[in-house]
């Protein structure tokens, strides 16, 4: 289980924060779904990354709203 977050006035590149129940977190670039930072393996993030891939347009729009 994980939580996907996005923060206002955050640094570039546009990204999401994925947090695990045990406190681990990683940053994923929205456009490429590349890891920017963190220590969670892709297998653990499979569902979250699939969701992010399907919802990139929504994520990009929300990023622009929060980070004009």
């Amino acid at each position: 289980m994980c939580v996907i977050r996005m923060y206002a006035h955050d640094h570039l590149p546009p990204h999401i924060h994925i947090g695990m129940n045990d406190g681990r977190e990683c940053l994923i670039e929205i456009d490429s779904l590349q890891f920017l930072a963190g220590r969670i393996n892709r297998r653990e993030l499979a569902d979250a990354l699939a969701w992010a891939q399907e919802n990139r347009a929504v994520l990009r729009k929300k990023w622009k709203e929060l980070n004009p």
Side-chain angles (χ1 to χ4, degrees):
M1 186 75 158
C2 66
V3 175
I4 297 173
R5 295 182 180 97
M6 189 180 294
Y7 299 109
H9 310 292
D10 209 347
H11 60 87
L12 292 175
H15 63 280
I16 55 175
H17 297 250
I18 301 178
M20 303 301 285
N21 286 341
D22 62 7
R24 292 177 295 149
E25 185 174 297
C26 67
L27 278 63
I28 303 291
E29 184 177 14
I30 293 170
D31 288 331
S32 66
L33 297 182
Q34 294 290 322
F35 279 86
L36 298 175
R39 299 175 63 139
I40 304 173
N41 69 54
R42 288 188 83 82
R43 182 179 47 80
E44 291 180 279
L45 297 174
D47 291 339
L49 292 175
W51 180 89
Q53 183 171 7
E54 292 174 11
N55 291 280
R56 278 190 192 153
V58 173
L59 292 170
R60 286 182 192 117
K61 181 179 178 188
K62 183 51 90 174
W63 177 270
K64 288 179 183 179
E65 289 174 15
L66 294 172
N67 299 280

